[in-house]
Amino acid sequence: MRHSQLMTVFAFVFICLADESKLKVKPASKPVRLFTDEELRRYDGSEDGQPIYMAVKGVVFDVTSGKHFYGKGAPYNALVGKDSTRAVAKMSLNPEDLTHDTMGLTTEELDSLESVFTGTYKSKYPIVGYTHRRLLNEDGSPNEDFKPEDQPHFNIRNEL
């Protein structure tokens, strides 16, 4: 094989390899985890070794690092395993407040909710998913305003 033919073959192989690297497909990212009420209840701190999850405003946080606050028998255990938005807004542990429902909250309670949501939960605990209410409208249609990429500290964990 002559030198020019060898160079042509080498150039051809080099070009093919270069093009192949451009064609590599990025691995698919895992979807955002969507929790039903039943699924969220599994993470209520009652089982040792299981993560502890709590939802506020439809965002599910892993509060396991705060086990001394949220674990079994801890002072705020009533808040975990569910969306406790109303209870956080009212600073309440009353059973009737342990819900996602914010109807009838005062301006002060809504301001408090936003402050605790941003200053405590979003700044301190990783987001592991969202409740179905956050992603879906009441009629079951997708919530067009939801953008997971806009949620700070979103972290897809291995168990998803």
Side-chain angles (χ1 to χ4, degrees):
M1 193 177 255
R2 292 185 330 187
H3 185 311
S4 63
Q5 289 175 324
L6 185 60
M7 289 303 288
T8 303
V9 169
F10 178 78
F12 179 75
V13 169
F14 181 77
I15 290 169
C16 288
L17 289 175
D19 286 345
E20 182 181 297
S21 68
K22 291 179 187 174
L23 295 175
K24 288 184 181 175
V25 177
K26 291 181 181 179
S29 60
K30 294 181 182 179
V32 171
R33 182 158 182 193
L34 181 65
F35 287 86
T36 63
D37 293 339
E38 295 79 33
E39 288 173 314
L40 196 51
R41 274 194 281 273
R42 294 183 206 151
Y43 301 97
D44 65 357
S46 61
E47 289 184 46
D48 287 337
Q50 187 81 316
I52 304 170
Y53 293 168
M54 171 186 174
V56 180
K57 293 177 59 174
V59 179
V60 180
F61 297 95
D62 182 341
V63 297
T64 308
S65 65
K67 188 174 185 172
H68 54 284
F69 295 115
Y70 300 104
K72 186 176 182 179
Y76 301 117
N77 179 256
L79 299 172
V80 300
K82 61 185 73 69
D83 188 325
S84 297
T85 301
R86 184 178 198 82
V88 170
K90 295 182 79 168
M91 300 290 177
S92 169
L93 294 175
N94 291 331
E96 64 271 9
D97 292 327
L98 299 173
T99 178
H100 69 281
D101 186 16
T102 58
M103 295 297 289
L105 291 178
T106 67
T107 302
E108 291 81 19
E109 289 168 335
L110 292 171
D111 290 345
S112 174
L113 170 63
E114 193 57 39
S115 175
V116 173
F117 178 73
T118 303
T120 300
Y121 293 102
K122 281 172 60 174
S123 67
K124 200 174 196 181
Y125 299 109
I127 296 171
V128 293
Y130 300 91
T131 65
H132 65 283
R133 288 180 195 87
R134 177 90 176 191
L135 298 178
L136 303 175
N137 296 317
E138 290 298 321
D139 64 2
S141 64
N143 176 356
E144 299 296 332
D145 295 326
F146 176 78
K147 294 183 178 95
E149 64 274 11
D150 292 340
Q151 304 298 320
H153 305 294
F154 184 74
N155 180 16
I156 297 178
R157 296 177 48 108
N158 292 334
E159 72 260 26
L160 303 183

